Amino acid sequence: MSVIVSVKIFGDTNVFTRSLEERADEYREISGRGRAQGAIHHQFAVGDGFILVIDEWESAAAFEKFFSDPELNAFIGSVGGDPNAAPEITVGESIDSPDKF
């Protein structure tokens, strides 16, 4: 069964939002690496002083291996993530329900 992962990264959302266009090729490359390592779905959202990542992964271990990559963490810092604030990570087993859409 897959897992749903939410990652709340504190940082500068203006820098992050600009990077989505300015560094689009890097995001695509990272996305490809994620899919090769077990990512099923991926989406970003922004809030007041944070970036939210909502993913679905084949397993928590696959996500943990991907997210612990020092290169990825350096990239996060370079696109607005605050290197002094640890991300808030929540992982839960994906389940089906009658109201799922």
Side-chain angles (χ1 to χ4, degrees):
M1 174 108 4
S2 65
V3 295
I4 304 297
V5 180
S6 71
V7 182
K8 186 176 186 180
I9 300 169
F10 299 93
D12 187 327
T13 59
N14 291 322
V15 171
F16 170 73
T17 302
R18 280 194 313 273
S19 78
L20 293 171
E21 185 174 322
E22 295 169 356
R23 299 176 71 177
D25 288 341
E26 291 171 86
Y27 282 96
R28 287 185 195 99
E29 190 273 327
I30 292 167
S31 175
R33 281 189 302 179
R35 283 179 284 183
Q37 294 180 39
I40 299 167
H41 296 286
H42 168 75
Q43 186 171 355
F44 286 121
V46 293
D48 186 15
F50 67 89
I51 298 101
L52 187 62
V53 183
I54 303 294
D55 284 356
E56 182 177 8
W57 282 79
E58 291 176 358
S59 69
F63 165 76
E64 290 165 5
K65 180 179 178 188
F66 174 79
F67 198 72
S68 66
D69 180 351
E71 247 181 68
L72 176 64
N73 285 285
F75 178 78
I76 291 168
S78 75
V79 296
D82 181 349
N84 298 312
E88 294 178 3
I89 301 172
T90 304
V91 178
E93 185 177 320
S94 179
I95 61 172
D96 285 326
S97 64
D99 60 341
K100 184 177 178 180
F101 65 93

